[in-house]
Amino acid sequence: MHARTATCCCGQLRAVCEGEPERVRLCNCTECQRRTGSVYGVNAYFLRTHVRIEGGSKSFRRSSAAGRWVETHFCPECGSTVCWQLEQMLDVIGVAAGAFADPNFPAPKAANWTENKYHWVPLPGGISAHSKQT
Ligand SMILES: [Zn+2]
Ligand SMILES: [Zn+2]
């Protein structure tokens, strides 16, 4: 099966993802803004059974806007977050779309938390926009 590999900046932490993501979301929530250091995150979700994590990571567990835990896994050397787990969707692993560094990666079909969107950020055409979570 076709696989894509998401990596941290230094390359030691990798998530090898088989097949296509279950869903891809553009998220404007403040947590994604802080996680990425950018003004939104693009989050790809793969079935857990289709993801193989390689390399060492540290994790950080926080509460989501909906009150459930989200645990991000980041490289202890370079600090990049590569993937995360969500209490509300334990069968999938979230992977930072930018970590694939693949301009042909599938586009997000929905944008979440547009109420937190930086006002000068345009959304891709054809995307469904949601003021909170989809
Ligand atoms: Zn690294
Ligand atoms: Zn978010």
Side-chain angles (χ1 to χ4, degrees):
M1 202 191 302
H2 175 63
R4 296 180 178 93
T5 302
T7 68
C8 65
C9 284
C10 77
Q12 77 83 22
L13 176 59
R14 296 171 301 281
V16 182
C17 305
E18 306 259 352
E20 296 305 309
E22 296 296 298
R23 63 186 84 86
V24 184
R25 293 286 182 269
L26 190 163
C27 189
N28 299 277
C29 86
T30 56
E31 298 294 344
C32 285
Q33 290 169 354
R34 292 202 169 95
R35 171 178 66 75
T36 60
S38 186
V39 293
Y40 58 83
V42 180
N43 306 335
Y45 294 95
F46 290 84
L47 288 177
R48 171 195 284 272
T49 52
H50 290 185
V51 180
R52 187 175 75 250
I53 311 288
E54 299 173 348
S57 66
K58 283 190 72 174
S59 62
F60 172 69
R61 186 177 281 207
R62 64 170 175 83
S63 187
S64 73
R68 303 206 182 98
W69 61 256
V70 178
E71 190 170 88
T72 55
H73 297 272
F74 57 95
C75 174
E77 301 300 323
C78 73
S80 308
T81 295
V82 171
C83 58
W84 56 91
Q85 291 172 274
L86 303 102
E87 182 180 17
Q88 74 212 70
M89 293 191 287
L90 289 172
D91 59 329
V92 298
I93 293 196
V95 184
F100 291 100
D102 174 6
N104 293 315
F105 196 79
K109 291 202 167 63
N112 289 343
W113 295 103
T114 56
E115 67 182 23
N116 296 118
K117 187 174 76 63
Y118 279 41
H119 70 89
W120 41 264
V121 169
L123 293 177
I127 202 166
S128 72
H130 306 269
S131 61
K132 297 183 187 291
Q133 195 79 33
T134 48

